[in-house]
């Protein structure tokens, strides 16, 4: 088996593991909405953490055998795998709008990443990296605070997912920088960056868990899947000296792919908002949950608990 074929296989299994983790996270969020960020008492949630770890390990292994321009775009298949997997395992079918949005987001992201050229991430001094870490933490915190002011579950989840994707993207950037420095021996000065990686990874995990609360699977997962590499690519372009292939023409095409990906996210969010309008407060009543005072007047989506497998309750 050639190294390229092995990289493709590892990338595919990695995407399946990420998709399975997202499905479990969404089901845990639907069945335990009071534990939005870290439902540590739920065995199923720890299963999702394990699946995320497996996906990350397989992704790193794929990068060892194949080029970044091949492996990174294949990570966008996570949302494509997640939709049919959720239909098979938890009997939740995605509508035509969700499928169109997922395909657009995946195609836009794959095209954007395919046009990005790599650079030496270890060439940036420690000072700018620490500034980037502080700015990144501030941006993630700002997105989280903004999400707290929203009442619609779909729009709130997109902001939380954007915060999670940003955190994961920043963790990837700093992991790359540490990996570059590791070749010549890891100096003690890298310890702050290691702490930053841990902080961003933990924040991404908790925020992604919260993003699934009352928002379904497709929109939060697509947002994380797109925002993660876009943030990493943007930092690479501005800080690490990365660039797009084919000069000005490549940059213009990459911007077009970015518009396609953004359009896919808009479709996914719109599909979820329309679903919330159609169902209103009915899902909560159908599941035997008492309606909160004034619930009929709120436009926040209610988590669907009717399809939750017993193992995840």
């Amino acid at each position: 088996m050639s190294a390229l074929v092995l990289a493709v296989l590892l990338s595919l299994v990695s995407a399946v593991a990420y998709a399975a983790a997202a499905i479990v996270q969404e089901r845990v969020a639907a069945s335990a909405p009071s534990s939005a960020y870290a439902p540590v008492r739920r065995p199923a949630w720890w299963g999702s953490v394990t699946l995320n770890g497996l996906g990350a390990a397989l992704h790193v292994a794929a990068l060892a055998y194949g080029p970044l321009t091949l492996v990174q775009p294949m990570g966008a298949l996570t949302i494509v795998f997640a939709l049919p997997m959720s239909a098979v395992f938890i009997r939740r079918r995605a509508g035509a709008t969700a499928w169109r949005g997922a395909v657009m987001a995946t195609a836009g992201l794959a095209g954007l990443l395919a046009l990005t050229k790599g650079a030496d991430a270890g060439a940036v001094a420690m000072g700018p990296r620490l500034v980037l870490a502080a700015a990144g933490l501030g941006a993630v915190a700002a997105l989280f605070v903004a999400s707290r002011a929203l009442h619609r579950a779909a729009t709130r989840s997109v902001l939380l997912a954007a915060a999670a994707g940003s955190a994961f993207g920043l963790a990837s950037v700093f992991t790359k920088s540490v990996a570059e420095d590791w070749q010549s021996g890891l100096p003690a000065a890298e310890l702050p960056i290691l702490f930053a990686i841990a902080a961003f990874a933990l924040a991404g995990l908790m925020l992604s868990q919260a993003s699934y609360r009352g928002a379904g699977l497709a929109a939060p997962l697509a947002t994380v899947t797109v925002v993660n590499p876009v943030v990493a690519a943007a930092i690479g372009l501005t800080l690490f000296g990365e660039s797009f292939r084919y000069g000005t023409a490549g940059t213009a095409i990459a911007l077009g792919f970015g518009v396609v990906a953004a359009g896919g996210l808009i479709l996914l969010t719109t599909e979820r908002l329309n679903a919330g309008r159609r169902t209103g407060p009915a899902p909560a009543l159908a599941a035997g949950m008492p309606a909160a005072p004034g619930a009929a007047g709120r436009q926040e989506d209610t988590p669907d608990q009717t399809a939750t497998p017993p193992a995840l309750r």
Side-chain angles (χ1 to χ4, degrees):
M1 183 182 297
S2 68
L4 191 62
V5 173
L6 183 58
V8 170
L9 291 176
L10 289 171
S11 298
L12 290 174
V13 179
S14 173
V16 171
Y18 279 134
I23 292 171
V24 175
Q25 282 186 282
E26 190 272 335
R27 289 291 78 203
V28 170
S31 61
S34 60
S35 302
Y37 296 99
V40 294
R41 296 184 180 181
R42 303 295 301 279
W45 184 74
W46 287 108
S48 72
V49 173
T50 302
L51 287 169
N52 272 314
L54 175 62
L58 291 170
H59 181 75
V60 171
L63 287 173
Y65 290 100
L68 184 66
T69 52
L70 170 69
V71 175
Q72 283 290 87
M74 293 191 68
L77 293 174
T78 298
I79 181 62
V80 177
F81 287 143
L83 294 181
M85 286 171 64
S86 66
V88 171
F89 293 109
I90 63 174
R91 300 182 298 279
R92 172 176 287 179
R93 298 185 183 277
T97 302
W99 273 108
R100 286 196 298 270
V103 171
M104 285 178 62
T106 302
L109 175 60
L112 184 66
L113 292 176
L115 289 169
T116 304
K117 291 193 299 185
D120 184 7
V124 180
M126 179 60 65
R129 280 190 273 178
L130 292 176
V131 171
L132 174 62
L137 286 172
V140 171
L143 288 172
F144 169 73
V145 171
S147 72
R148 303 285 291 178
L150 299 175
H151 297 290
R152 283 183 181 271
T155 50
R156 183 179 61 242
S157 79
V158 167
L159 271 186
L160 287 170
S166 299
F168 285 137
L170 286 158
S172 298
V173 167
F174 289 121
T175 299
K176 182 180 178 182
S177 70
V178 171
E180 293 285 347
D181 291 341
W182 201 296
Q183 297 177 358
S184 57
L186 185 66
E190 293 286 348
L191 288 178
I193 301 301
L194 292 176
F195 285 124
I197 293 172
F200 283 123
L202 180 60
L205 178 64
M206 296 175 67
L207 290 167
S208 65
Q209 177 63 57
S211 71
Y212 292 112
R213 182 182 178 186
L217 176 70
L221 179 57
T223 302
V224 172
T225 303
V226 170
V227 171
N228 177 350
V230 167
V231 167
I235 294 173
L237 290 169
T238 57
L239 187 61
F240 294 147
E242 295 184 354
S243 60
F244 289 115
R245 289 178 171 82
Y246 313 121
T248 303
T251 302
I253 296 172
L255 290 175
F257 278 122
V259 171
V260 171
L265 292 181
I266 292 172
L267 279 180
L268 287 164
T269 305
T270 302
E271 191 268 348
R272 186 61 193 175
L273 286 172
N274 291 337
R277 293 192 190 100
R278 288 193 299 268
T279 58
L285 299 176
M289 296 170 56
R298 290 199 301 261
Q299 298 186 8
E300 179 174 342
D301 297 334
T302 304
D304 176 15
Q305 300 187 23
T306 59
T308 305
L312 298 183
R313 289 188 183 275

